[in-house]
Amino acid sequence: MILFTTFPHWISPEILPGLPFRWYGLMYVLAFLTAYILVRKEARDGTVVLDAEQTQGLFFAGIIGLLLGARLVSVLVYDGTSFYWTHPWLIFWPFEGKHFVGLPGMSYHGGLIGAILGVMIWCHHNGKNFFEIADSIVVAVPLGYTFGRLGNFINGELWGRVTTSSLGMIFPNAIHFSTNYAWVRDIANKLSISYVQGSMVNLPRHPSQLYEAFFEGIVLFLCLWFIIKPRIKDHFPGYGLSWYIIGYGTIRFFIEYFRQPDENLGFIIKLGPADSNPALLQSFLNFSLGQIFCFAMIIAGIVLYIILNHMKEVKNNDNR
C-alpha cells in the first residue's frame, strides 16, 4: 500500500542549469499561447469579430494588465509585510543578489483584475464591446491554467496542507515541523516516517497545484467551452464572463481547503475551533484570504449575471 510519494528528484525549476530560463516562465508562455490559439479559432469560426492584428493587440493589453495586477496584489497584499510598500522599486526587480529568479510571487485575483482592466482599455480604444470580447476570452483561458499550475508544481511551491491520504507528496522546500508536537509525531507514526524526538520532519502534503491544474484548468475549460460557449448567443454579452467568474470562484474556493494558507497570513476569518492548525484541514469554518477573494468572485459573478440579464429583458421589452 502506497502511503505517500516524494517530489520527483529529477524535476528542476531551471530548464538548463545555470541559465536564466525557468519552466515556470515557459509555462506562462504556453498558457498565453494556448488561449491565443483558441481565441483565433473562435475568430475563424465567426464567434468573435477579431482579425489577427486585433487579437495580438488585445492579448498584449490583457497580458500586460495581468502581469501588473498579479505582481502588485501578490507583493502588496499577500506578502503580509510593509517591505514592498517601502521598497516599490523592487516589485518588478527579477534578481535576488546576482541570481535571476524572475517574478516568483503572482496573484491570480490580482491578475484577473489587471487583465480585465487591460482588455477594457483596449476595447474602449478599438470600439469593441467589452462583454462580447470577454466572453470569447474567458471560455479559452482556463486551459492555460493547467500550464500555470504545472509551473507552480515544478517550482515545488504552493503546496497543500498536511495529509495522511495516499495522495500525499513530500515537497523538499515545504515547511518542516518539530516532532516536539504530538500531532506531528502521530502523523509521522501513522505514515511510518522515522524521526528522532525533537527533530524536524517533512510531512506529506496535498499536491494542490495538480488539483488546481485539473479542476481550474481542464474541468472548467470543458464546462465553459462545450456547455457555456454554445449558449452565449442565445443569452446576452457577458453571459460567458459571468459563468467564468462564478465557476472559477467556486472551484478555487473548495480547493483552498486543501491548499496551505499563506504562512504570514493564516486564516483571515476564524469561525472554527480557536486552536485550528493552518497546516491541517480541521474545520471548514476557517477561511483563507484566497477563499475570501473567491467568495467575492462568486457574488460578483451572480450580480453581473442578474444585471446583464435584466438589461437584456428591458431592451427586449422596449423593442416590442
Side-chain angles (χ1 to χ4, degrees), residues 89-108:
W89 58 89
L90 294 178
I91 291 177
F92 296 101
W93 184 247
F95 295 93
E96 285 186 3
K98 297 181 180 180
H99 299 285
F100 177 84
V101 295
L103 299 176
M106 303 291 275
S107 161
Y108 162 81

Side-chain angles (χ1 to χ4, degrees), residues 171-186:
F171 291 90
N173 298 324
I175 299 170
H176 290 47
F177 301 99
S178 172
T179 50
N180 285 327
Y181 295 106
W183 70 269
V184 176
R185 295 195 301 273
D186 289 342

